[in-house]
Amino acid sequence: MKKLQLLSAAIAIGLSVFAAGAANAAYPEDKDITVIIPKNPGGGTDITARGLITMMQQDLGNANFVPQNKPDGNGIVGMVDVANAKPDGYTLGMVTVELDIFPHQGKTKLSYSQYDSVIAPIAAPAALIVPSDAPYNSLEEFVAYVKDHPGEIMMGNSGVGAIWHIATLAFEKEFGVKVKHIPYPKGTADIAAAMAGKHISGTLADPSSFKSQIEAGNLKILAVMADKRTKMFPDVPTFKELGHDMTIRAWATLVAPKGTPEEALKILRDSAKRVSSTPEYAEYFLKQGIDPTSIIGVDADKMMEEDYAMYGEFMKQIMAK
């Protein structure tokens, strides 16, 4: 009987040691986690991804995140590679708002439903930006001016079907007005220059891209299309608080392939939640000229689902013209 008791005790000790070893070997098990970034090095998505995974690596301790840029095909190649990766938690990636726009343009069959979200650290809102000497100082005054000058107001965007073009279409629909859409495919620098030269009346775009011009007093922001005020421009009201429930944002989300184990997703999401609540997180992004966001897990999934439907409606409107 005594030998049996000793044997049982030994087995119990062995099992406890085995359990401890298994716990120590839990995800991510000191293995590399590849993070595919579907944009070029040095851009906003790249800077965001690298800062985020550096903080998560420090938080987790036993993870080694390895960034890999795959910008081909306007980011489609990289996003496809993430969707097709083995769903074991060792391949993650950034997906951008184009994921919700491109399918409606026939550029890809990718869908938000092919991913499980970890965190959206960027959700840059469209902001109504105009020259500083423009004869309107609020959203209401701008709308009134547009109505008094039908078809005369020229709004810059980054190209037909791009997000800021869609933001302007949403503005027209909400307020029952019409503007002239002027594309600047090379981006916000050309839009800012056009405003400075009085060639256009304004734009609806990410305000962080115009930060230096705003701080220099050349441009001003009248309102942002966000659920709440931005950290970068806290004095600027939202369309929502002014009575117009409009949220249009250029987001980037860290995701895993659909089917990644819940245990791994929880570890990643919990880490993202911890780091995004620190002062260092906000400080890092603000220094990079990026307004920090923290939309975790299923909330980010919901954001992508809702935006997919919204962009689909606007793309129908564009293609009908």
Side-chain angles (χ1 to χ4, degrees), residues 76-274:
I76 293 174
V77 171
M79 291 192 284
V80 167
D81 284 353
V82 178
N84 292 338
K86 184 178 179 180
D88 57 4
Y90 293 100
T91 299
L92 308 178
M94 298 296 287
V95 295
T96 60
V97 68
E98 287 81 12
L99 174 69
D100 276 353
I101 298 175
F102 284 168
H104 301 296
Q105 298 172 336
K107 294 180 179 179
T108 180
K109 293 183 180 179
L110 274 180
S111 166
Y112 63 87
S113 63
Q114 292 173 260
Y115 308 94
D116 287 313
S117 295
V118 176
I119 180 175
I122 299 180
L128 179 57
I129 305 167
V130 299
S132 57
D133 60 355
Y136 24 77
N137 293 297
S138 68
L139 174 62
E140 292 82 358
E141 290 178 2
F142 180 77
V143 171
Y145 191 91
V146 175
K147 288 182 176 179
D148 289 342
H149 299 78
E152 296 179 18
I153 302 302
M154 293 185 288
M155 299 287 284
N157 61 63
S158 52
V160 175
I163 182 170
W164 307 131
H165 177 223
I166 292 172
T168 309
L169 291 176
F171 174 85
E172 289 180 313
K173 182 178 179 181
E174 176 71 15
F175 295 99
V177 297
K178 287 292 181 183
V179 303
K180 290 183 178 179
H181 299 265
I182 312 298
Y184 292 89
K186 292 183 180 179
T188 53
D190 285 354
I191 295 174
M195 277 195 281
K198 313 297 182 186
H199 302 301
I200 58 175
S201 310
T203 189
L204 275 156
D206 175 5
S208 66
S209 301
F210 300 84
K211 186 172 184 286
S212 60
Q213 292 274 20
I214 293 165
E215 291 177 341
N218 300 323
L219 304 174
K220 59 187 176 184
I221 311 176
L222 304 185
V224 294
M225 290 181 172
D227 290 334
K228 57 184 180 181
R229 296 191 181 196
T230 70
K231 293 181 177 68
M232 192 170 291
F233 302 103
D235 296 330
V236 178
T238 66
F239 276 68
K240 191 172 185 177
E241 66 187 88
L242 296 174
H244 305 277
D245 193 4
M246 304 178 71
T247 302
I248 294 184
R249 55 219 162 177
W251 44 258
T253 304
L254 180 66
V255 298
K258 195 71 176 179
T260 297
E262 284 298 323
E263 296 83 358
L265 287 174
K266 185 176 188 309
I267 287 168
L268 291 167
R269 289 168 175 170
D270 287 350
S271 176
K273 187 173 183 178
R274 285 191 298 270

